[in-house]
Amino acid sequence: RAPSSASTIDMDRYALGVDIVIRSKTGDVPAVEYAPIGAMRDEIACAVICAPGSSGGCGPGIAQAFRGLPLERRCSAAAHGSFYARLGIELSTGEDLDSWNPPKRRFEGVENDENGFPENHSVDSKEKFLSRGRRRPGAVCLQMTWSKCAGGRKWPGKRLKRVDALSAAVDDVVSCALYVRQKYGDGLRVVLVGFSFGGPACWAAAKRLGSERLAAVVSVAGSARGGERFAKFDLDTEGCVKALDAVPRLWLHGTKDENVVPAISRRH
């Protein structure tokens, strides 16, 4: 749907998300942190880690021509339709949007405050946002890409089905989960959301983190990995799913998906 003028105004007031870098065993993980602001920080429901597919970048929802669009371009027109960007804004603010437009481009040369607002954003505008009623508690949302995809690099390419590729992705997801728990409290539980290749990465990361740290696992058109070579390193998807039987899970998959067969989601 075409965004209404009201939703465009709302987008201008929302925290834009803060660009951060998280250290992983495999390198620096670029991410965007969407966090509740003001009084909402006292009632954070959970943290949501959003992992992309094998192309990395902004994740699902954007046009196929821009697949793998690096996070550095998340405010560009090419990022229109980004599922993870909209999820981050809606979950962190506790409000629903009627727009798939990317966050507004930051003003050139202007730093952003801790909430993601440009420093030259009017105080009145900030206070109006902070004083608005909320529909639901907010959540911290981390939109990440793979450390090996930083700067728009293509990865893993032909290594997609190798154990070391999945292991590196798992390290990145776990590092992001530990980051939000360290920042917002060790008692904060985490939801892992993985798209395509991010699906098996999130399931293996979930097993490594342990059920006590998890709120749920979500697979969006997720693929899977199996066999002895993956099981040896606790990376086989089916084994991870079974080990986390008590953890709520959600499988989302389009029935006409031609890249990852829907049977994978149905199986679990």
Side-chain angles (χ1 to χ4, degrees), residues 63-262:
Q64 188 170 355
F66 300 113
R67 181 179 295 174
L69 185 75
L71 285 182
E72 291 85 349
R73 295 185 59 194
R74 68 187 178 88
C75 295
S76 68
H80 177 83
S82 172
F83 172 61
Y84 284 165
R86 180 166 175 174
L87 193 64
I89 294 171
E90 290 194 351
L91 291 178
S92 62
T93 62
E95 297 188 9
D96 297 325
L97 295 181
D98 185 23
S99 172
W100 287 101
N101 287 337
K104 294 290 185 180
R105 169 65 67 184
R106 289 176 171 79
F107 297 100
E108 293 297 329
V110 176
E111 295 295 326
N112 294 274
D113 66 17
E114 63 179 1
N115 296 319
F117 287 101
E119 286 187 349
N120 64 351
H121 218 61
S122 72
V123 174
D124 180 60
S125 179
K126 289 184 186 180
E127 290 184 348
K128 282 183 179 179
F129 174 83
L130 293 171
S131 64
R132 296 176 69 189
R134 301 294 181 263
R135 293 178 181 153
R136 56 181 176 265
V140 177
C141 193
L142 212 63
Q143 181 184 4
M144 59 165 287
T145 187
W146 312 119
S147 58
K148 293 184 180 295
C149 287
R153 295 195 304 268
K154 300 300 180 183
W155 178 85
K158 294 181 179 180
R159 302 175 62 182
L160 178 61
K161 296 185 178 180
R162 287 178 46 166
V163 170
D164 58 347
L166 183 58
S167 180
V170 172
D171 287 339
D172 290 348
V173 175
V174 169
S175 295
C176 288
L178 295 179
Y179 164 82
V180 293
R181 284 173 56 86
Q182 181 179 18
K183 182 173 181 177
Y184 296 97
D186 287 338
L188 187 67
R189 295 201 297 166
V190 178
V191 177
L192 300 182
V193 182
F195 168 65
S196 192
F197 172 71
C202 282
W203 275 113
K207 184 176 181 181
R208 188 184 300 181
L209 288 166
S211 58
E212 68 279 1
R213 293 173 171 171
L214 299 171
V217 180
V218 180
S219 175
V220 182
S223 57
R225 297 293 183 270
E228 185 177 341
R229 59 196 179 106
F230 285 96
K232 180 179 179 180
F233 297 97
D234 288 331
L235 297 173
D236 62 307
T237 305
E238 187 166 357
C240 293
V241 172
K242 289 180 177 179
L244 297 164
D245 187 58
V247 176
R249 73 280 310 275
L250 175 65
W251 301 84
L252 300 173
H253 213 126
T255 57
K256 295 184 179 180
D257 193 333
E258 296 180 353
N259 293 314
V260 179
V261 293

